[in-house]
Amino acid sequence: MVAEALAKPLRRRMLSGRQRVRMESTMSDLELKDIQGLVVRGYGSLEAACYIPLQIQDGEAARHWLVTLADQITNADTRPTHTALNVAFTHAGLVDLGLDAETLASFPNEFSEGMTSERSRLVLGDHGENAPEKWVWGGPNTPPVQILLICFAVDEPTLETFSGSLSRGFSGVAQIGETLTTILLRDPQTGYSKEHFGFRDAISEPLIEGLGKSGPPATTVKAGEFILGYPNEYDLLTERPTVRVERDSQGLLPDDPSESGVRDLGRNGSYLVFRQLHQDVGRFWQFQDDATKDAVGNSDPEAQVRLAAKMVGRWPSGAPLVRAADQDNPELGQENDFGYHDTDPLGRRCPLGAHIRRTNPRDSLDPNLGPQKTLAINKRHRILRRGRPYGDPVSASMQIEDIMSADRSGDRGLHFICFNANIGRQFEFVQQTWINNPKFAGLYEDTDPLIGDRDPRGIMHANVFTEQAMPARRRVTDLPQYVFVRGGAYFFMPGIRTLRYLGSLKALP
Ligand code: N7H
């Protein structure tokens, strides 16, 4: 109910003004050659990746550089096997590239204000240890990132050569801060990707309708939820930035389908949310140990893994708790075709507040609405995750028993990246209404057990994790924080025509 109630004002806002266009289904042929590749694929075969933060030093030279860069951008129509390159801009970057004020004003507020505004901090729960003042990039105490180069390569040496040659070609732009490096954590036994706590990751993603991949209807989502210019789950075009026709004298941009005499700057673009999330692996497993010791203080490794799995909603192999409630079953590691409404409405298999149940409640938001209505609402709050871990793993084996006992000092975590067409209705909604909501699904003082704000708005404690069970629920209290925000920003990843348009801008008088 909470989701539906909160979705309504957002929906009204989304439908207002000149963006209010009902779309024909023929609009949905995806222009893959104009969409940047990362929006539609995670480049899993390109094992090495890094993100290079840039600042604009000379607008004119930077625009020329962009025109050359546009020729090197990997589009969604190709499946790169050697290297791939994508690029995205913050609002400050678009300003310094010379976009005029009227065009800038057509971007949504969430993007224009950025991730560190007072509003965003409240919505995202970025205070205390997570306050932007403490960030290593993207915060008020570090130089603003304006452009992000996203580089992939088949291996580390190739990535080094590739990023090196890109840097040598910089003109009008300069790197600020460190390159953000990544690591692909694979389980050596199965080859599957893992994250630092030891759980299999990158299993559940929405399938973009029209891309040709088939999957369960419940996971197939309209392209307009992720890519601007296509019908979304309301069968409408998502709010998008536009440009007056006279400001596109070379005719680089497509007409806006609203026929309102403007050009569509957003078409084939998407919003990229970046959060650098440090993971304190030691504290995570220490807590599982402390919370599961028996009456005389003996550790119980099995109980630790079980509690951690209840928090995630999947076992370390990836097997979903809703299908494997009592013990891990690696055969179900890839399973993603499930809901909660029929099999687990009360959360006795997968707790109501588990990470995957909060971030994608599937068909179980509100039992009174029924699964179909719930699924339809849920599809308006999906995100496409494209991030990668960073920092050395605590154990190269990536086996839970080794991770639990290894020396866990060091900086490691997740470069969380996700795409969405509407930051407010998708990423921010998930973060505020599901992850950080102590009252989610009828709970009382629980936020997401992995990444939730333990002190929402600094006015209440929400550090409990509840396992619904018979005859009585079990509550684990005093959850510490073990995921910390270290940086972040909202970016716009334009379509490739728009990239050329940005390169063609003239200096503002
Ligand atoms: Fe989460 N983790 O290690 O436990 N996440 N996540 N996440 N996450 C998922 O189903 C993790 C974060 C989502 O469709 C899995 O693919 C960690 C943020 C969504 O059923 C695991 C961090 C946000 C899903 C983790 C982190 C999300 C998901 C299971 C931070 C959004 C899919 C693998 C350090 C704002 C849910 C899988 C579904 C799954 C972990 C962050 C969202 C293992 C460690 C910030 C939508």
Side-chain angles (χ1 to χ4, degrees), residues 195 197 199-204 277 279 312 314 336 338 340 355-356 359-360 362 382-383 385 414 416 427 430-431 435 450-451 483:
E195 57 67 53
F197 293 145
F199 285 79
R200 185 167 165 196
D201 206 354
I203 309 164
S204 175
L277 301 174
Q279 288 172 260
V312 174
R314 289 186 182 267
N336 198 33
F338 60 87
Y340 302 104
H355 176 67
I356 69 159
T359 51
N360 179 12
R362 299 180 186 230
R382 299 298 312 274
I383 52 175
R385 290 173 301 143
L414 175 67
F416 173 87
F427 167 70
V430 173
Q431 180 84 19
I435 291 175
L450 293 180
I451 54 172
V483 173

Side-chain angles (χ1 to χ4, degrees), residues 10-24:
L10 286 166
R11 181 165 189 262
R12 264 198 300 277
R13 183 148 59 94
M14 202 197 69
L15 306 190
S16 65
R18 67 172 179 223
Q19 317 283 354
R20 196 168 174 152
V21 185
R22 189 159 289 279
M23 296 312 302
E24 302 298 324

Side-chain angles (χ1 to χ4, degrees), residues 301-317:
E302 248 179 58
Q304 291 173 43
V305 175
R306 185 182 169 286
L307 175 60
K310 289 275 177 188
M311 290 182 173
V312 174
R314 289 186 182 267
W315 292 92
S317 74

